[in-house]
Amino acid sequence: MNFSLRNARILRGKPKLHNQILIGLFLGVIFGVLFNIDKHKLEVVYRGDGTEKQAVIENWESFEFLHGEDSTTFGPDDQIAILQFFKGLKGTEPNDVILVVRTRDQEEPSRYDQPLSIEKVETIATLIKPIGTIFLRLLMFIAIPLVVSTLIVGAASLGDIRKVARLGGKTIGLYLITTSVAITIGLSLVNFIRPGERLPPDSRERLMAEYQADISTRIEQEIEFDLIDTFVNIVPTNPIKALANAEMLQIVFFSIMIGVTLSLVRKEKAQPVISFFEGISETMIKIVDLIMLTAPFGVFALIAATVGQFGFEILQTLVWYSIVVIAGLLLHLFGTLSLLVHFLAKMNPLKFFRGLREPMLIAFTSSSSAATLPVNMEATEKNLGVPKQITSFVLPLGATINMDGTSLYQAVAAVFIAQVYGFDLTLGQQLTILLTAVLASIGTAPVPGVGIIMLIIVLQAVHVPEEGIALILGVDRILDMSRTVINVSGDAAVASIVARSEGVLQESEAAVSEAG
């Protein structure tokens, strides 16, 4: 009794981990706002008198590039446009470029010959980003060993290849349904609110000018999508290469094949292999527990760097577009997924969301389903009562093919860009968006920023200019954080439903400990 009371006092004195992460998130936002990057300051490295020199330029009135026989001038609020324009000069010899800057406190303009680099001046908020990057890398480095070991053990414990096929059919079917519903929600909202028609022409021109160089580089990349090739590539020719390149679908296929085959091998031969992978799985889970002790610091550094670098100003320009995307994500999260969890998993949605607090916070700050996978697997098992044999199969698969939030965002973005350009997409074209977004999500790498590449495929399918992506690139990082939360939550919801349908959904460890 005394031991329990002492533990209770300790627990009361120290916030729970999810609350610590939330505090880190909140403080990170404040820190990023206080130490955000100055939008009127740039650092230039140039050649002067035969040596490299460095200068910090601030509060300029005009920022002029002389390149060849041409000149391009920018105003005091054009920091992003300056950076993007300089990127576009990469193919130009430095000898051919001269920078002439007029500032408010100088009568004569300053001249910088042969500029080698132009960058934003970093602050302490962006300088601490490596702390958050290390936290993400720690999660990423255990993701593959955890998936392989738990999948092999889980598939071996099923013992029947027909059961594996049944689980796979349920999982993929539910993922396709939830993704289709998410896209339908996005299409409905963007057609009703029509944010593209609310974007002022001057904002359109400014956004296109600022981000055109960046998006042109991405469009020039050869992007091909073939459904048959996607399914063929699920089977790896070299499983070691698949592990090294983090090809999640190939890793899932390889691990399931090993696990199922172990169930067909004589027990005395199979048991040592199964025990070996059980040991690895338990070790990886323990490493997750240790890594999560650093989560508040990692989250603080990541969110501070994001807010410090990007700020919230861009949201003012794209406010209607951002509102539509976030409203769609919230509607899918608290509408679609809540209903599915309530009626199909027979679980209280409040319990569901309470159990996923840590994965949702990690997903928001990391923008990566892969980095969140180890945390999501542990939370789904311990807090939602989904057994390991289900989480080890359903969640790695979901981290690759289930992109509810990303697909919803793509649908909204495609129609938004079409509206800005004055294109009136037909019902058939919008159905094409739905189908293409669903299929493009299969096999997509679960890493930050991949939604832009998928969006190019969607835009190509309905013949909307891919250059329009420049309109939304400024808010992509912020919205990427939000849509990753939906991706991760959708994975856990499907895992709970599959576990209920198999009759193996258990009372969670968290609920048991609270009852005790």
Side-chain angles (χ1 to χ4, degrees), residues 155-417:
S157 67
L158 294 175
D160 188 350
I161 195 168
R162 289 174 297 182
K163 190 172 182 179
V164 174
R166 186 175 72 246
L167 284 177
K170 288 179 181 179
T171 301
I172 294 173
L174 283 166
Y175 282 152
L176 292 176
I177 290 171
T178 57
T179 302
S180 300
V181 172
I183 296 171
T184 302
I185 291 173
L187 289 174
S188 300
L189 286 176
V190 74
N191 280 288
F192 178 72
I193 298 176
R194 306 192 70 81
E197 297 177 0
R198 300 171 184 265
L199 184 67
D202 58 332
S203 297
R204 173 185 179 276
E205 296 302 323
R206 183 172 63 82
L207 290 169
M208 290 295 292
E210 288 180 354
Y211 294 100
Q212 190 63 54
D214 194 9
I215 199 59
S216 295
T217 304
R218 304 194 189 201
I219 293 173
E220 287 171 4
Q221 299 173 0
E222 187 174 352
I223 299 172
E224 295 181 358
F225 175 73
D226 188 292
L227 183 61
I228 295 176
D229 285 346
T230 300
F231 283 107
V232 169
N233 290 332
I234 291 175
V235 182
T237 56
N238 184 343
I240 304 302
K241 183 179 178 182
L243 290 168
N245 295 335
E247 297 286 350
M248 195 62 74
L249 279 178
Q250 295 184 3
I251 292 169
V252 169
F253 179 86
F254 169 72
S255 303
I256 290 174
M257 287 294 293
I258 296 293
V260 170
T261 306
L262 280 171
S263 68
L264 304 176
V265 177
R266 284 186 303 171
K267 187 174 182 180
E268 60 271 20
K269 298 288 185 182
Q271 192 56 49
V273 179
I274 295 173
S275 297
F276 171 75
F277 283 107
E278 280 181 337
I280 291 179
S281 177
E282 291 299 322
T283 302
M284 292 301 107
I285 291 172
K286 183 56 65 176
I287 292 177
V288 172
D289 292 337
L290 295 176
I291 292 173
M292 288 304 292
L293 294 176
T294 69
F297 306 101
V299 166
F300 171 83
L302 285 171
I303 202 70
T306 300
V307 175
Q309 183 174 0
F310 296 99
F312 298 109
E313 294 87 350
I314 189 68
L315 288 173
Q316 298 173 5
T317 304
L318 294 168
V319 61
W320 283 107
Y321 166 72
S322 303
I323 285 174
V324 171
V325 173
I326 293 173
L329 294 175
L330 292 174
L331 187 58
H332 185 66
L333 180 65
F334 297 114
T336 306
L337 297 183
S338 291
L339 291 173
L340 289 175
V341 166
H342 178 73
F343 289 105
L344 298 183
K346 308 296 183 185
M347 183 186 299
N348 187 332
L350 291 177
K351 173 190 173 182
F352 174 79
F353 291 119
R354 192 182 300 117
L356 290 182
R357 284 175 294 195
E358 288 176 17
M360 291 170 77
L361 289 169
I362 299 299
F364 182 75
T365 50
S366 70
S367 300
S368 172
S369 298
T372 313
L373 180 59
V375 185
N376 200 20
M377 291 177 70
E378 185 176 30
T380 303
E381 182 181 342
K382 290 184 176 180
N383 300 338
L384 304 183
V386 180
K388 185 180 294 186
Q389 67 185 45
I390 301 295
T391 59
S392 62
F393 180 88
V394 175
L395 295 183
L397 198 59
T400 305
I401 71 171
N402 185 45
M403 301 284 179
D404 293 0
T406 303
S407 298
L408 184 150
Y409 143 82
Q410 289 164 359
V412 173
V415 178
F416 170 78
I417 293 170

Side-chain angles (χ1 to χ4, degrees), residues 92-152:
T92 307
E93 288 293 329
N95 295 340
D96 298 334
V97 181
I98 298 172
L99 186 60
V100 178
V101 180
R102 295 179 182 273
T103 59
R104 298 169 187 171
D105 54 357
Q106 290 179 323
E107 294 182 3
E108 295 296 325
S110 299
R111 175 182 170 126
Y112 305 92
D113 294 334
Q114 305 176 37
L116 302 175
S117 70
I118 302 177
E119 303 288 346
K120 296 178 181 179
V121 179
E122 292 195 276
T123 68
I124 188 173
T126 56
L127 290 173
I128 63 173
K129 186 178 180 180
I131 298 173
T133 303
I134 291 172
F135 169 66
L136 286 185
R137 291 174 70 92
L138 285 171
L139 289 174
M140 293 288 286
F141 105 92
I142 64 165
I144 300 302
L146 179 62
V147 168
V148 172
S149 57
T150 53
L151 260 179
I152 289 175

Side-chain angles (χ1 to χ4, degrees), residues 178-179 182-183 186 321 325 329 332 367-369 398-414 433 437-438 440-442 444-455 458 476 479-488:
T178 57
T179 302
I183 296 171
Y321 166 72
V325 173
L329 294 175
H332 185 66
S367 300
S368 172
S369 298
T400 305
I401 71 171
N402 185 45
M403 301 284 179
D404 293 0
T406 303
S407 298
L408 184 150
Y409 143 82
Q410 289 164 359
V412 173
I433 290 175
V438 170
S441 67
I442 299 173
T444 302
V447 295
V450 75
I452 290 292
I453 304 300
M454 293 168 62
L455 180 57
V458 173
D476 181 68
L479 296 181
D480 194 10
M481 297 161 68
S482 302
R483 61 185 183 250
T484 306
V485 175
I486 311 303
N487 294 341
V488 169

